[in-house]
Amino acid sequence: MTKFRVGKAKRPWQEIAKEVQDYRDASVARVKPHLPDIGSSLLKNVLHIPFQTLSKTELQITEAPVEEILSTLASGGVTAIAVTEAYLRRAGLAQKLVNCVTELLPERALSRARELDDYFFKHKKPLGPLHGLPISVKEHIGMKELSMNAGYVAWSNKVADEDAHILRILWRAGAVFHARTTLPQSMMHLETDSNLYGVTVNPYNRDLTAGGSSGGEGKLNHGLYTSGSIRSPAANNGVYGLKPTAFRIPTDGWSSIMVGADSVATSIGPLSTSLLGIKVFMQTILDADPWLAEPALVPLPWNSLYRINPSQKLKIGVLWHDQVVKPHPPITRALQTVVAKLKTIPNVCVVDWTPHLHDEAWAILSSLYYTDGGAEDAAAMAASGEPWLPLTKWIIKENPCVKKLSMKELAYWQEEREMYRKEYARVWNETAEDCYSETGGKEGMVDVILCPAGPGVAPMHGTAKYWGYTSQWNLLDYPAVVFPVGKVDAQIDKVEEGHQPMTDVDRENWRLYDKPENFHGLPISLQLVARRFEDEKVLAVLEYISRAIGLPFEPFP
């Protein structure tokens, strides 16, 4: 449930935005010890600044992977207070560098940390599996008595009556919520920009996007984060991100337009600087049996024992491009490198994956995103008078598939969605080499698809307009994990001479990679995709091949 605070008469949207930003800045100013003034004349790459600003202890804590800091907390090697203070300072610094925070929660977080330390002192054991771990949360996920504006100025006084279901589970597991993060207007950008908070930028190059819609989460570059729309930020920032199968992870208690519409199933997932962090998150949530409180969820416990072993045959399909947009040279190089190394693993078979009508998938999906023709979004923006941002205008007003659908038209597109899912399942089934004679089951099918996470690395601001490499799997509701591979080398990843565009969209996308030097040093990420409810499998495959071929090939950040 949500409510709106009683406010003043309608004010200029700029006044509301300034009020919201002042509130955020005040929350950062309350972090102790105070952070230094960074100034406005920053270099494009700001990754070095934490190492010049934070203490050795703060760096040790915030640079440690999730599993390591949890182990140290559980053994009493560090207090929850010390960890929380370090995370607050790192998050406050990140805000100053890349504009990724809507507010810090120093008082709440430190109070919670003291409570956890007291528990540990009394009982000589952690409260739960996430004891003392700071977790940042995307702003639209409800937190009791705090705003959940979802990127709309008119919703700046919308307040959650209670914590979202997923936050209640994390809290009982011992988590500390220390930061809330930015999101774009409409929550439908592969960019994180709004009239409320401005633009979230990329720490590798501030001229480039952090991704979206959870760009604020991708920017903190430490720990564990909870959000939706996570693969674009994960890819742009060189961290791990999982889109789970829909209806496995609780979604009750978040704020968005048309909440409850399930024409396109949505999901919340984790970002983490380590793959084990992703697994910890999933197991913690599903071990709580969330379907008992949220009946829409599928009662499927997490299988923590799922492993790939060297004697097990593993077949990986490689989608080099989707026949709509060919990825930029860094992405193709990463695919080629990974594939070459996969072929050296004795139990791994690599085959090409032929995309099945991915352009048609986008037509179906974009017809179902805004079944009211964008009317609610338009009304939310009109309520405050805030201007439409270019990417909001692009996805709603300039998208020929966005129309107000009648009941008959809605039923048509939903049927098209289901038919397409059946067709894609058939294509996947046909990768089988044989059938089990006893059961008739398929043998030798592709286990996972290796593919781009996007049409390129992080692009210039306002240019992220091709969604196909992530939206495809949204339509199919396949779980997908993004992972870092390497970094752009402008001397190697040169513009491909003589590229023949497959489509007009391909032509536009390739114009974005005209100067490789603009992208030098940026993370290159790829994506593994499995079939519905094979979330454990896709993570197990990534864990197995990462050990076998040494992923990532370069240190991150």
Side-chain angles (χ1 to χ4, degrees):
M1 296 291 291
T2 60
K3 59 185 177 183
F4 284 84
R5 292 191 183 101
V6 177
K8 303 174 184 177
K10 185 172 179 179
R11 298 175 291 160
W13 71 264
Q14 298 92 333
E15 183 180 319
I16 298 171
K18 184 179 186 305
E19 185 177 276
V20 167
Q21 292 168 25
D22 288 345
Y23 173 84
R24 174 203 59 202
D25 294 346
S27 75
V28 175
R30 294 198 304 274
V31 172
K32 304 290 178 59
H34 292 300
L35 290 160
D37 183 17
I38 300 300
S40 57
S41 300
L42 293 169
L43 297 173
K44 289 183 179 181
N45 187 315
V46 294
L47 289 169
H48 62 286
I49 293 181
F51 298 91
Q52 299 173 347
T53 306
L54 302 177
S55 70
K56 181 179 179 181
T57 299
E58 289 167 342
L59 288 169
Q60 287 175 337
I61 290 171
T62 58
E63 288 290 305
V66 169
E67 60 274 16
E68 183 179 312
I69 198 65
L70 282 173
S71 176
T72 306
L73 281 160
S75 67
V78 67
T79 64
I81 282 283
V83 172
T84 300
E85 288 176 339
Y87 269 69
L88 281 167
R89 293 200 80 228
R90 183 101 187 214
L93 182 60
Q95 165 56 27
K96 290 174 177 284
L97 297 175
V98 296
N99 189 35
C100 58
V101 167
T102 64
E103 66 178 307
L104 294 184
L105 305 168
E107 294 82 13
R108 286 188 180 214
L110 292 170
S111 174
R112 170 64 165 170
R114 290 188 195 96
E115 173 187 309
L116 292 167
D117 284 340
D118 290 345
Y119 181 94
F120 191 91
F121 180 79
K122 180 179 180 179
H123 299 280
K124 309 302 180 189
K125 65 177 184 179
L127 177 69
L130 301 182
H131 178 97
L133 181 68
I135 295 180
S136 62
V137 181
K138 192 175 178 182
E139 191 274 348
H140 76 120
I141 298 175
M143 200 172 284
K144 187 176 180 179
E145 298 177 351
L146 297 180
S147 69
M148 45 194 308
N149 58 58
Y152 298 102
V153 174
W155 288 10
S156 64
N157 61 345
K158 186 178 182 181
V159 179
D161 282 342
E162 61 182 0
D163 290 338
H165 185 191
I166 192 170
L167 299 191
R168 297 197 299 273
I169 294 172
L170 294 171
W171 179 272
R172 290 194 294 269
V176 177
F177 303 126
H178 72 298
R180 306 181 76 212
T181 56
T182 51
L183 69 179
Q185 182 188 62
S186 81
M187 293 201 301
M188 290 289 280
H189 298 187
L190 294 185
E191 170 94 73
T192 300
D193 54 338
S194 71
N195 291 313
L196 279 170
Y197 300 105
V199 181
T200 301
V201 300
N202 194 305
Y204 287 86
N205 183 336
R206 288 164 47 85
D207 289 343
L208 307 178
T209 178
S213 63
S214 306
E217 293 292 339
K219 304 311 308 129
L220 289 182
N221 276 330
H222 61 277
L224 184 64
Y225 337 108
T226 303
S227 64
S229 303
I230 56 88
R231 283 166 295 159
S232 165
N236 288 5
N237 293 281
V239 298
Y240 296 86
L242 173 71
K243 183 204 83 68
T245 305
F247 304 111
R248 288 203 76 178
I249 300 297
T251 60
D252 199 19
W254 67 2
S255 175
S256 70
I257 292 289
M258 296 178 70
V259 171
D262 61 356
S263 52
V264 179
T266 55
S267 61
I268 291 176
L271 293 94
S272 176
T273 49
S274 74
L275 179 57
L276 281 177
I278 300 289
K279 296 175 73 174
V280 166
F281 173 92
M282 294 297 292
Q283 182 164 356
T284 298
I285 297 297
L286 293 177
D287 279 356
D289 297 344
W291 47 84
L292 297 178
E294 195 171 324
L297 301 180
V298 176
L300 182 61
W302 184 254
N303 182 2
S304 61
L305 300 179
Y306 199 110
R307 298 286 189 277
I308 304 295
N309 63 70
S311 63
Q312 178 180 349
K313 291 181 180 180
L314 187 60
K315 190 173 182 179
I316 300 177
V318 181
L319 190 155
W320 297 96
H321 62 76
D322 62 3
Q323 296 182 347
V324 181
V325 169
K326 182 180 179 181
H328 293 157
I331 307 299
T332 298
R333 176 171 65 87
L335 277 170
Q336 291 170 341
T337 304
V338 169
V339 166
K341 291 179 179 291
L342 288 176
K343 288 180 177 179
T344 67
I345 306 174
N347 65 317
V348 173
C349 171
V350 180
V351 298
D352 288 342
W353 181 273
T354 302
H356 179 70
L357 302 176
H358 283 215
D359 54 343
E360 193 170 298
W362 173 249
I364 296 169
L365 192 66
S366 56
S367 296
L368 290 171
Y369 272 142
Y370 296 97
T371 55
D372 67 342
E376 283 203 37
D377 289 83
M381 286 179 274
S384 67
E386 68 171 302
W388 288 62
L389 294 179
L391 288 178
T392 310
K393 187 181 296 184
W394 172 79
I395 190 60
I396 298 177
K397 291 186 174 182
E398 297 172 8
N399 184 343
C401 293
V402 172
K403 300 172 184 176
K404 184 175 181 178
L405 302 181
S406 66
M407 291 298 293
K408 182 177 181 180
E409 290 167 331
L410 176 59
Y412 168 82
W413 282 111
Q414 289 178 329
E415 179 65 16
E416 287 292 298
R417 177 193 66 195
E418 295 311 307
M419 289 298 296
Y420 184 81
R421 287 174 172 175
K422 287 172 64 176
E423 288 176 21
Y424 219 90
R426 174 183 55 77
V427 169
W428 199 308
N429 293 341
E430 289 174 353
T431 66
E433 298 164 359
D434 204 349
C435 292
Y436 294 108
S437 55
E438 298 85 358
T439 65
K442 300 291 186 180
E443 183 180 30
M445 276 193 297
V446 162
D447 290 288
V448 295
I449 299 170
L450 173 67
C451 62
V457 295
M460 294 288 182
H461 292 295
T463 64
K465 295 182 178 180
Y466 188 68
W467 298 18
Y469 286 106
T470 50
S471 63
Q472 174 71 24
W473 316 118
N474 291 350
L475 179 67
L476 295 169
D477 191 25
Y478 288 172
V481 60
V482 164
F483 58 96
V485 175
K487 295 177 182 175
V488 176
D489 186 330
Q491 295 302 311
I492 298 175
D493 301 315
K494 297 182 178 180
V495 175
E496 181 181 313
E497 298 295 335
H499 170 67
Q500 297 297 317
M502 295 179 287
T503 62
D504 289 342
V505 181
D506 192 21
R507 181 179 293 104
E508 288 300 315
N509 183 68
W510 272 74
R511 287 173 180 166
L512 303 179
Y513 193 75
D514 57 342
K515 296 179 180 178
E517 60 271 20
N518 290 340
F519 307 96
H520 182 77
L522 258 67
I524 308 172
S525 300
L526 295 177
Q527 182 175 206
L528 276 182
V529 180
R531 303 183 81 159
R532 291 188 76 208
F533 299 108
E534 291 186 339
D535 307 59
E536 292 94 334
K537 181 178 185 177
V538 77
L539 294 182
V541 172
L542 178 55
E543 186 175 27
Y544 180 76
I545 67 172
S546 293
R547 286 199 305 267
I549 68 176
L551 284 169
F553 302 141
E554 297 188 52
F556 283 82

